[in-house]
Amino acid sequence: MQTETDIASDPGHSDRQPDGNSTLPCKELPDPKRIRVLLAHYFQHFHTLRCFAFIHKTSFLQKLDDDLAARAHNKSSLLHMMCSIGAQFYALEYSETVEQFPPKTILAAGSQWAATARSLLLGSFDQISVENLMTAQLLYDYSLRMANYTQAFMLSALMTRMTHALQINLEYTDDILGHHVDSNSLSVTARESRRRLMWSCYITDAQCGSGVDQLMLLEDKDIKIQLPCDEQNFLQERPCITRMLSGSPLPFVPVDLVSANSTNTISIAAYFIQHIEIRKRVLKYIKHLDQASLPWLPDSEFHLFDDELQTWHSSLPAEIQFTPSVIYLRKESNELGALALLHCAYYQTMCDLYRLGAPALYKLRSAFYFPPEQDQFLRHLQLSLFKAARSIAAIIADAARHGPAMVADTWLPSITYDSNRIMLYYLTIIFNPSDQGTKHLVINTIPYLQSNVQALKMMSATNAVAEDMYHASHSMLEKLGVASDSISPQPQLVLDDPYLANFGAGRDSTPGTPSQTAPDYVLNPLSIFRMARSDIPERHAPEKTHNTPIDTGSSSAALAAPGHNDQQDSNIDQGQAFGPNLDMFITPNLIWDWQPMETAVGSGMNSEGLLPWVDTSYTSYVGDFIS
């Protein structure tokens, strides 16, 4: 008797290739049984990632049965997109349990259905509907997954305009609990679905904007809907009253209906949305340091953001904390990926805030000058930056132990890669090589570096960009005398960053402040906008014009992981900034303003060169210590 696995083993009626791998090339959707298998993988693995749970599962499946009976399903762009994503996760699970596939084969699964979804969506470009907006959101994430960043960037604009036209930034009615439902009104479930879709578009807009007002099309003040309710209430179609992004209830909800514990009814996605709002302001602050107060002042913007972030994180309820019991609980509810991303996002934002203490690492515009009397504060920034990067590695390692689907979000490869860059920067430049605790620190940091590399290798099956980052990270560790799975010292090291070093080669520019401002100057070269711009052959490039330099001369506890303990933190705290001015470590041709590793992009960048902070005379001691 044929099992569901047997039925699903070829969900696209695919032909077998000479190498034995199924690439699911069929353009038409498969038969209904296989469609249901693909949708099961979609809802199990993708639906709860980030903020994509805007499709009500039972309602959708009920409608699908009607469409299948009427043979209308082949015209649905949303169904094609869901099957395409489901096919990738099906191929991923099949590769893990039955027959191993190369990452590119897994990525290619369902690609024809994604192409059909794109054609159907663009063919109905003038038909603005919730279903088309859902399709666009899924196609946007798929484009990121396939490293098609120009398409993702353009889709982000389409989505925001569709939200404006649909007005899903406003509550459909003030009858939140659905007490007065009539035949002409939307159901409580449909209204919650619209809210979730709006918040998903909000996150997309924030991701593309990266703290640059010019690139963001959605204003926080214009989003006047409540945060998503928890998954069980959504699935069971139970109406809930939550709160708005500001923390206040909707103004028209009667006071007697607002429960004191209404925050207990919000989902993991709601906490992620809250964090993204804080993150947007942090990134905007980092991009305007010339207008900011000195960070060591007690009332500075830095301290306000630091307090706000730590207060937000410490206030997370127990069922959202990243603890062993919660990890298994969320895995059971298919929410472990969302939980891991939530905590990784927090520590990534902490890295972005604390990089004030490592301007050479990110090539910050208008970096602060730290006078000698602020050495202790500077060391605090650098140590906190390192701890946050190490915490990211611990979270990724814990999540990855439960399978590649748990680390499949499109933001995670760049977060993981940045974690390694920060830890290597701290070990090779900031930490004092003559300190007695250095060897202990290096030895105990190696597992974090290695687990990040292995996680990137795992992520390459669901994110095209992760493969290049894996090879680049692996190369950096080898040049540091550390293999991904063993330790082998190398003398006279030259630490390279094959992924970032020569990006943008041939784009002449002069340092300082450009005569004209543009988002190019305040975004990471690997941001969605910068990579989309790099594909435009006739792009205007004001960065090539001469400019005048700016004069700026005056102007959290880590998670438990193998090798980490309080004594280790004590040893880390003994680290000292050392050596000559860090400017000497910046390669002259790297003139970008390094910004946070937002969704990193691009592939095929295999050229090698020095990291912007590295001097060869300061790297060999790492190999000596681990020998």
Side-chain angles (χ1 to χ4, degrees), residues 118 354 424 528:
R118 182 176 63 248
Y354 277 91
L424 286 169
I528 294 174

Side-chain angles (χ1 to χ4, degrees), residues 578-585 618:
F578 70 98
N581 190 313
L582 289 179
D583 289 343
M584 70 173 289
F585 299 117
Y618 284 91

Side-chain angles (χ1 to χ4, degrees), residues 248-305:
S248 303
L250 291 164
F252 49 78
V253 173
V255 177
D256 60 326
L257 294 180
V258 180
S259 172
N261 62 355
S262 61
T263 55
N264 294 334
T265 62
I266 67 176
S267 64
I268 293 180
Y271 291 102
F272 186 71
I273 294 162
Q274 290 175 338
H275 178 74
I276 290 298
E277 187 277 328
I278 302 174
R279 178 175 174 79
K280 285 173 62 177
R281 290 185 281 116
V282 169
L283 297 184
K284 187 173 181 179
Y285 159 69
I286 293 294
K287 291 171 174 61
H288 296 86
L289 295 181
D290 57 325
Q291 304 170 20
S293 304
L294 296 173
W296 52 83
L297 298 178
D299 59 347
S300 67
E301 298 91 338
F302 169 82
H303 279 293
L304 293 176
F305 281 125

